[in-house]
Amino acid sequence: PLTAFQDAFAAALAVPEGAGDGGSPGHPDLAALVAQPGFAVYRNTVMKGCVDALQANYPSIAGLVGEAWFRAAAVVHARAHPPLRPTLLDYGAGFAEFLAAFEPARELPYLPDVARLDRCWTEAHVARDEVPVAAAMLARLEPADLARTVLRPHASARWAWFDDQPIRSIWQRSREVAQGEAVAGDVNADIRWGGEGVLIVRPEAAVRWVPLQRADCAFLDVCAAGGTLAAAAGA
């Protein structure tokens, strides 16, 4: 009975205020509970927490579309995709896919990929710590040994290549504005339209990003698949 009550309570939290007791099937006591004015406190607190977390985790998207648009979209997402864990530090794993199917975002086709880079930043931020390989160690290897060496990408490393759009430039410009590192304005101004790649990684304390060419991404793909440096260089 307690599990049934908790499941129904959680479902009711996602029902907009004034929509009746549509979120309270399956438990006889919940309809009366939802009807109490105080239930709105729970509903609003949970929804605000989800929206705030999404805005914190997707600052580039919020910067591109504006706070009002973003928070309205975040409410729709949060109702359909509530958190699966108590922590909201990395909430919103599927937000890029949500934007790809979100009708109001249709006129901004680059939004989902920009959201994917925001997600990569979050994943790099929360990844486990690892000590990076020292370049000097690789430099001591004989050429034949170097070719046979297998390098595994750092636990925090995320990379992507975008064929047709300067996603990395749009993402970086918007994120810098959101963090106060650049002056607000048209984030697309002076951006060369074409394919771009990026590596997002946290080798030490801070997340960094590095522009990549298509060949760089191919190299990293082979390393991630367990190939040798010779195979990665060939790719």
Side-chain angles (χ1 to χ4, degrees):
L2 177 59
T3 299
F5 177 84
Q6 290 172 336
D7 288 345
F9 190 98
L13 290 171
V15 178
E17 188 172 2
D21 63 351
S24 60
H27 198 281
D29 298 329
L30 197 58
L33 178 64
V34 172
Q36 296 183 31
F39 186 79
V41 175
Y42 293 98
R43 177 188 284 121
N44 295 341
T45 299
V46 169
M47 189 56 60
K48 185 179 186 302
C50 291
V51 172
D52 287 350
L54 283 172
Q55 188 168 350
N57 290 338
Y58 291 90
S60 301
I61 299 299
L64 288 169
V65 301
E67 184 173 14
W69 193 103
F70 182 92
R71 294 185 73 84
V75 168
V76 178
H77 175 274
R79 285 178 177 147
H81 305 282
L84 300 177
R85 297 188 294 173
T87 176
L88 296 179
L89 180 63
D90 63 346
Y91 174 54
F95 193 57
E97 290 70 24
F98 165 81
L99 289 175
F102 191 47
E103 184 63 30
R106 185 177 296 275
E107 295 182 0
L108 299 171
Y110 50 82
L111 277 189
D113 283 336
V114 173
R116 290 184 178 98
L117 292 189
D118 269 344
R119 181 64 190 177
C120 286
W121 192 99
T122 295
E123 291 178 356
H125 176 63
V126 302
R128 69 179 183 273
D129 293 334
E130 282 190 336
V131 178
V133 172
M137 185 187 75
L138 295 177
R140 290 194 295 268
L141 295 176
E142 294 296 328
D145 293 331
L146 184 64
R148 291 191 293 267
T149 297
V150 174
L151 288 183
R152 177 175 52 83
H154 194 273
S156 67
R158 303 291 186 274
W159 61 92
W161 173 261
F162 304 98
D163 281 320
D164 302 318
Q165 300 183 93
I167 300 299
R168 192 267 308 164
S169 294
I170 296 172
W171 170 79
Q172 181 176 339
R173 188 81 58 85
S174 180
R175 194 170 187 101
E176 287 172 347
V177 170
Q179 295 176 341
E181 299 173 3
V183 178
D186 183 1
V187 296
N188 294 330
D190 303 323
I191 290 179
R192 179 177 171 273
W193 211 260
E196 288 184 339
V198 63
L199 166 68
I200 301 174
V201 65
R202 182 179 53 80
E204 282 110 15
V207 178
R208 301 164 49 197
W209 52 83
V210 182
L212 296 184
Q213 301 298 320
R214 185 195 298 269
D216 302 324
C217 294
F219 184 96
L220 288 168
D221 287 341
V222 174
C223 290
T228 63
L229 287 184

